[in-house]
Amino acid sequence: MVYRLETERLRLREWLPEDREPLAAMNADRRVMEFFPHPLSRAESDAFFDRIVAEWAESGRGLYAVERRGDGRLIGLTGLHRAAFEASFTPCIEIGWRFVAEVWGQGYATEAAQACRQYAFETLGADEVCSIIRDTNTASQQVALRNGMHKADRMVKHYRGVDMPHDRYVVFRTPLLEEQ
């Protein structure tokens, strides 16, 4: 197994075929998907898995499978991708995360996002990173703040074009580590 990044408690790694089932379970959980348009069916989750693997093959980066070091359990995903849509803060490298509800509140999302931020700056040479979070998702906003980000912009429509007209999104950004 090739681990791309490691932290004290986590391994961020490539996706394996056996990850489809736990990913589908996470994506079907209404708690996990509360701030997304809807929980994903198995077919939608498998298509998401395929897009993740394709992004890695095409760009050499993307969302990592996050496993807990102690037991090797897949507990979530995190990673980097280029935000290529048109907005005042793009292009930028976006950090995203999603974790199973059973591990919420244990600092895993912050730990994984910090590893991604460090990789973006130190290895990829990024000038800044961003995260785009629904304005009612206070838990993810706290992860962004603990990751050294600050609120920078607001958006009315979801940046991926999903029609969610009553939602608002907050864009969090962070400059190079030494500028903070």
Side-chain angles (χ1 to χ4, degrees), residues 81-118:
H81 72 91
R82 181 156 299 280
F85 55 91
E86 194 171 317
S88 63
F89 57 90
T90 60
C92 74
I93 295 177
E94 181 183 5
I95 299 176
W97 52 83
R98 184 181 309 169
F99 285 82
V100 296
E102 297 82 40
V103 304
W104 290 354
Q106 297 177 37
Y108 291 123
T110 300
E111 188 174 327
Q114 287 173 343
C116 289
R117 181 186 72 175
Q118 182 176 357

Side-chain angles (χ1 to χ4, degrees), residues 117-166:
R117 181 186 72 175
Q118 182 176 357
Y119 180 79
F121 290 136
E122 294 179 4
T123 304
L124 299 179
D127 294 330
E128 69 176 359
V129 294
C130 69
S131 288
I132 303 162
I133 303 169
R134 198 163 155 187
D135 70 346
T136 53
N137 188 345
T138 56
S140 279
Q141 289 182 33
Q142 290 301 310
V143 170
L145 292 169
R146 284 191 299 273
N147 201 23
M149 297 179 152
H150 62 277
K151 291 181 182 180
D153 297 290
R154 292 195 178 272
M155 299 174 64
V156 174
K157 187 170 183 167
H158 190 277
Y159 65 104
R160 290 195 178 120
V162 177
D163 189 17
M164 298 173 71
H166 301 293

